[in-house]
Amino acid sequence: PLTLFIFPPSSFFHSPLPTLHFPLSTPHFLPPMSLRTYLHHLDQTGRLLHITAPISKTYEMAAVLKKLEPRPVLFENVKESSFRVAGNLFCGKAPFAEYFDLQPAAIIAALSQAIERRSPPTRLPPGEPAPCQEVIDLHPDLDALPILYHCAGDGGNYISSGVFAAWHPRYGQNMDFHRAMQFSKTEMAIRVVKGRHFDAFLRDRLALDVAVCVGLPPNILAAAATSVAQGVNELEIANALQPFAVVPAATIPDLLVPAEAEFVLEGTVYAARRHAEGPFVDLTETQDIVRHEPVFVLRAITHRRDAIWHALLPGALEHKLLMGMPREPTIFNQVNQVVKCLDVHINPGGCSWLHAVVQIDKQHEEDGKKAIAAAFAGHRSCKHVYVVDRDIDIYNPLEVEWAMATRFQGDVDLVVYPRSPGSSLDPSSEPDTHNTCRLGFDLTKPLEARGKKFEKTPFPEVDLAAFLP
């Protein structure tokens, strides 16, 4: 039997998309903050593509999302589920920055400040209904959810947008991303990277109650992807980016979850129970290996009455942004300890994990090489670092390549770090140790450059209106 508790919506934010109405003069985003406020904004500005034709969660939605990338999409008619699905939502820094009314170059400062000036989110008063708990299903079935089967050869249907909330009596609450592969109506294999905070929680507790949150705004997504010290609550980082409300999970009162989440899957991860997990397409757009990983057993699903599933396409631009961008502040801060760092871009061409482009204000000849060493210290999974001057647009790969072509000499400006443990995501690293060779490229021009041979010659300025109809 299905046990459902239905609560009335607490505000107009919780209505289906077609009935959301904002005055044109209203600022883009108002609290309470949610994924659907952003979807409404995309809809009102003509950027959200509605697909009403019947579509399958097996292969078809993933294929359409990839074909349309980076266009945001809302699937209205999923064959295997009654829930709608949204994807391609944050495929670059520009839409992410727009959400917060920022310029892309200001993202690093905003993330750094949020990490330093954390603040606890507001807790809903007891008895006040939370949007994420409008429906509470105590006899859940994962098959009812639009969990995508992405690529041929995958191990199964995967949740790739799920943020896991876990609690530890000493360290408090932790939130981070884990991919989750469904293998029964109530069980999933969870990829847990050794040495990370969730892994430490699980090894200490053996059976760990968790809440998997799906359908979240970008402040929570970015905060969950940050690398911070054990004991730092990522919800407080998210709240410093933009305030929001939390509520205790329906069956795990120690856990606080975002009140405006679309879905919350509650259950327990068991360290001793293992199941094959994989293959799965990761950041490198290649399929990861099969491992035996801990098992998550589902106990309850809570969700909005008209909940929208967030499909995060693995290996695609949205996945890359949410993995790479939160590492940029750590590189930025590390480089700023030795030279003046202006900006950092962990670029999609480097799988948003293995490459970093660092822009500096060069004051001394050795600044480029100092920045290379600091960047590797700031992101230890990085494989190649490119350091450029302030006149190079680090978001334009043509300009970075131009700097390499005109300002780089391999026998002088190349820094080689012998093989050491790198990223397990790199398919070219050594299979067992994941050792890799790191390279740093100092693409900065000499301070005592003669003439203008290291500068691009600009064309004259002209007012096109005087010549064009």
Side-chain angles (χ1 to χ4, degrees), residues 142-161:
L142 291 169
D143 286 342
L145 302 179
I147 304 173
L148 270 61
Y149 201 118
H150 298 101
C151 299
D154 281 359
N157 299 56
Y158 265 96
I159 296 177
S160 50
S161 61

Side-chain angles (χ1 to χ4, degrees), residues 42-83:
L42 292 176
D43 211 18
Q44 291 296 293
T45 53
R47 287 176 283 175
L48 183 65
L49 177 63
H50 294 255
I51 293 182
T52 58
I55 191 166
S56 175
K57 67 181 183 181
T58 301
Y59 301 144
E60 290 183 348
M61 274 196 283
V64 169
L65 285 171
K66 187 61 181 175
K67 285 283 188 183
L68 292 172
E69 189 182 48
R71 178 81 183 269
V73 179
L74 181 67
F75 298 101
E76 305 272 10
N77 189 358
V78 181
K79 291 178 181 178
E80 302 90 346
S81 177
S82 61
F83 298 107

Side-chain angles (χ1 to χ4, degrees), residues 285-456:
E285 302 175 53
T286 59
Q287 284 190 319
D288 201 0
I289 64 173
V290 177
R291 302 175 179 87
H292 281 77
E293 296 285 356
V295 170
F296 167 72
V297 178
L298 182 67
R299 178 164 57 250
I301 296 176
T302 76
H303 60 84
R304 292 172 178 263
R305 184 183 294 109
D306 61 328
I308 302 168
W309 187 263
H310 179 197
L312 184 66
L313 202 60
L317 291 178
E318 189 174 15
H319 184 195
K320 286 179 165 65
L321 178 86
L322 292 173
M323 282 289 289
M325 185 181 63
R327 268 66 185 178
E328 292 170 351
T330 62
I331 293 178
F332 182 86
N333 294 332
Q334 197 78 30
V335 173
N336 251 326
Q337 293 180 23
V338 294
V339 302
K340 177 62 176 176
C341 186
L342 302 176
D343 204 357
V344 176
H345 183 37
I346 298 182
N347 59 325
C351 306
S352 291
W353 196 250
L354 301 177
H355 288 181
V357 186
V358 179
Q359 185 188 57
I360 66 170
D361 183 3
K362 186 173 179 177
Q363 301 293 323
H364 304 91
E365 286 299 345
E366 293 303 310
D367 281 359
K369 293 181 174 61
K370 287 181 179 179
I372 288 169
F376 281 126
H379 179 42
R380 298 190 180 277
S381 291
C382 203
K383 183 179 178 182
H384 299 145
V385 169
Y386 307 85
V387 178
V388 300
D389 291 303
R390 67 185 311 150
D391 65 328
I392 300 299
D393 179 1
I394 64 175
Y395 301 102
N396 185 343
L398 294 180
E399 290 207 15
V400 176
E401 187 175 354
W402 178 86
M404 174 173 277
T406 62
R407 299 178 178 180
F408 175 79
Q409 286 293 315
D411 59 345
V412 177
D413 301 315
L414 178 67
V415 181
V416 180
Y417 294 85
R419 287 190 172 268
S420 58
S423 173
S424 62
L425 296 178
D426 179 6
S428 71
S429 64
E430 294 177 1
D432 297 326
T433 63
H434 300 300
N435 281 348
T436 192
C437 178
R438 292 182 170 87
L439 299 177
F441 302 84
D442 182 359
L443 311 184
T444 60
K445 61 188 176 184
L447 289 174
E448 300 300 325
R450 294 181 180 178
K452 296 184 177 181
K453 69 175 184 176
F454 289 101
E455 308 288 341
K456 283 188 176 181

Side-chain angles (χ1 to χ4, degrees), residues 122-193:
T122 301
R123 186 164 175 165
L124 288 185
E128 181 173 333
C132 69
Q133 294 170 351
E134 287 174 352
V135 177
I136 301 177
D137 183 357
L138 299 179
H139 299 277
D141 181 356
L142 291 169
D143 286 342
L145 302 179
I147 304 173
L148 270 61
Y149 201 118
H150 298 101
C151 299
D154 281 359
N157 299 56
Y158 265 96
I159 296 177
S160 50
S161 61
V163 172
F164 280 62
W167 184 84
H168 190 281
R170 186 191 318 165
Y171 299 114
Q173 183 156 319
N174 178 71
M175 294 194 78
D176 55 6
F177 281 93
H178 300 275
R179 68 191 193 219
M181 188 192 82
Q182 179 188 352
F183 64 88
S184 80
K185 290 179 178 294
T186 59
E187 297 167 302
M188 309 190 85
I190 309 301
R191 172 71 173 121
V192 180
V193 178

Side-chain angles (χ1 to χ4, degrees), residues 220 228 450:
I220 301 173
V228 291
R450 294 181 180 178

